[in-house]
Amino acid sequence: MPGDLFSPVTFGDISANSRIVMCPMTRRRADADGTPNDLMREYYRQRASAGLIVTESVHPSLIGKAYPGSPHLIDGRDLAAWARVVEAVHGRGGRIVLQLMHAGSLARPRVNGGRTPLAPSVPRAMTGGEIDATVEEFARGAAMALEAGFDGVEIHGGNSYLLHQFLGSGTNLRTDAHGGPAENRCLFPVRVVEAVAGEIGHGRVGLRLSPGFSADRTVRGDGLDVYSALLSHPSVRRLAYLHTSSSSDPDALAWIRSHWTGGWIHNLGTEPACSSPELLSRIEARLGAGPSAVSLGRLFISNPDLPERLLHRAPLAVPNPKTFYEGESEGYTDYEGWTDTSRQPIHT
Ligand SMILES: Cc1cc2nc3c(=O)[nH]c(=O)nc-3n(C[C@H](O)[C@H](O)[C@H](O)COP(=O)(O)O)c2cc1C
């Protein structure tokens, strides 16, 4: 095990307490108007021992919303509610960044104010003015996140959402400066990066990408050409970190390994039923291959104190997928901490 897995690590101006990062995970428990609530505050508070928490996707604008129960960061009320979440995490010595997301064509009128979703091309190609306004919404969301006390912001550029839709030649059919060759398809994501960094500084901004991976096959044609162009851009190279998905295209990961010099968090992608020693050896192998940190998702759902469990080779609880989305505290804040129960393993 690399001796420094449990030691602090720095990504630009973001200092993480260890190299074990909690993945962004949509849990859909915000109030109906998108405001984060006390239940969410408790959920994140419980997980403050993660080296760094990346929040679930948060919307800087209503039109980009895809799911009921996803939280917003649009107005002062959202900001005040998020500030309480941050305070709870910081109060336990944790670190937390907010993931900003716009679902683009995957937004749903049922939850986005009844508007036709925006997209690079289909169903409704964004006008130049809409592109400018959307860039501005990301920047405003980032400024509000910093005002709420977050340690930084992660821009969601993967998983088939709006930025990813611009990168793919199958979803971006534009004939203007934002479409066509790989360099043009990067323009919108680069503009979002520059606007967000312009508000809060490059050192507080991360970018999530899932090269070649689109769970629902919405995005196609996002090959190495577009990622090498994006990740070679001077503004992108100055970011605090890049966060790649476990299902990323191996060629893109190989390119990143040899060309990316900044912070790199790689999502390990784990089978939820695994033991601490198995997980530790997988983390060790992965960190040896280049990334500065690994991120874990579902295991943080069922093991709020996952780093302590790994440190002590303690048993890991298995999450229940039926309670991943929506609902109340069941499957959300009722997973026990191993360290809260006098270090008695609660699952064997
Ligand atoms: C319930 C759930 C919600 C997710 N929501 C998000 C999200 O909001 N943003 C994001 O970038 N990825 C999201 N993901 C993907 C995770 O960040 C992570 O990449 C994935 O779970 C694989 O990691 P794991 O095997 O450790 O769980 C989600 C995954 C799950 C299981």
Side-chain angles (χ1 to χ4, degrees):
M1 176 54 45
D4 57 0
L5 175 62
F6 297 99
S7 310
V9 59
T10 307
F11 304 111
D13 298 327
I14 302 168
S15 43
N17 288 324
S18 75
R19 294 170 195 269
I20 303 170
V21 173
M22 175 172 153
C23 277
M25 282 180 293
T26 292
R27 305 298 309 274
R28 294 172 49 183
R29 280 157 167 97
D31 289 349
D33 65 358
T35 315
N37 51 37
D38 285 348
L39 188 64
M40 292 168 61
R41 179 177 195 251
E42 175 59 11
Y43 167 76
Y44 286 112
R45 192 195 66 80
Q46 290 176 351
R47 286 155 182 80
S49 66
L52 177 69
I53 295 174
V54 184
T55 69
E56 64 208 278
S57 287
V58 178
H59 297 296
S61 64
L62 187 60
I63 194 167
K65 184 168 179 169
Y67 314 108
S70 286
H72 304 170
L73 181 46
I74 299 176
D75 58 24
R77 218 171 111 161
D78 302 328
L79 192 155
W82 278 117
R84 283 171 43 75
V85 173
V86 174
E87 186 187 40
V89 172
H90 284 171
R92 290 193 60 213
R95 303 274 194 262
I96 181 166
V97 301
L98 178 123
Q99 188 184 62
L100 282 177
M101 187 272 252
H102 190 304
S105 67
L106 298 182
R108 296 196 186 125
R110 189 162 59 91
V111 291
N112 83 345
R115 295 164 69 189
T116 305
L118 297 176
S121 305
V122 179
R124 187 160 79 77
M126 293 163 81
T127 63
E130 284 169 336
I131 289 180
D132 295 346
T134 305
V135 168
E136 188 46 42
E137 284 162 2
F138 270 94
R140 238 173 61 85
M144 290 172 89
L146 265 274
E147 206 181 323
F150 280 97
D151 296 286
V153 159
E154 178 174 296
I155 299 168
H156 201 341
N159 297 10
S160 315
Y161 297 121
L162 184 63
L163 271 67
H164 199 184
Q165 291 161 21
F166 268 88
L167 294 173
S169 60
T171 33
N172 182 347
L173 310 173
R174 301 180 74 92
T175 52
D176 62 7
H178 289 91
E183 284 70 19
N184 289 14
R185 302 202 309 275
C186 295
L187 180 58
F188 174 68
V190 166
R191 287 183 61 192
V192 170
V193 162
E194 289 184 337
V196 166
E199 283 291 337
I200 67 172
H202 284 82
R204 298 231 169 251
V205 185
L207 175 64
R208 189 157 211 212
L209 296 174
S210 59
F213 174 70
S214 170
D216 55 4
R217 298 176 184 274
T218 300
V219 173
R220 286 181 307 278
D222 61 325
L224 192 51
D225 57 344
V226 82
Y227 290 103
S228 54
L230 178 66
L231 295 172
S232 302
H233 193 283
S235 294
V236 177
R237 294 194 75 81
R238 289 177 58 203
L239 290 179
Y241 70 84
L242 172 66
H243 186 179
T244 45
S245 292
S246 56
S247 320
S248 299
D249 167 34
D251 289 345
L253 291 181
W255 189 93
I256 290 166
R257 190 171 301 125
S258 47
H259 291 85
W260 181 257
T261 51
W264 179 16
I265 303 170
H266 184 63
N267 174 219
L268 199 59
T270 46
E271 277 309 313
C274 73
S275 72
S276 285
E278 277 164 9
L279 186 54
L280 283 165
S281 57
R282 288 202 55 215
I283 292 173
E284 179 179 18
R286 182 47 81 172
L287 287 180
S292 358
V294 290
S295 65
L296 297 160
R298 288 162 294 170
L299 280 171
F300 262 111
I301 290 180
S302 49
N303 300 278
D305 51 359
L306 184 56
E308 284 101 327
R309 292 192 195 218
L310 290 175
L311 186 62
H312 297 285
R313 314 302 198 257
L316 301 177
V318 177
N320 176 7
K322 293 200 179 108
T323 49
F324 279 1
Y325 303 109
E326 297 185 304
E328 298 288 332
S329 56
E330 189 193 347
Y332 190 55
T333 52
D334 63 352
Y335 286 106
E336 284 181 68
W338 178 71
T339 45
D340 298 342
T341 52
S342 313
R343 308 213 158 182
Q344 294 302 309
I346 54 166
H347 292 267
T348 51

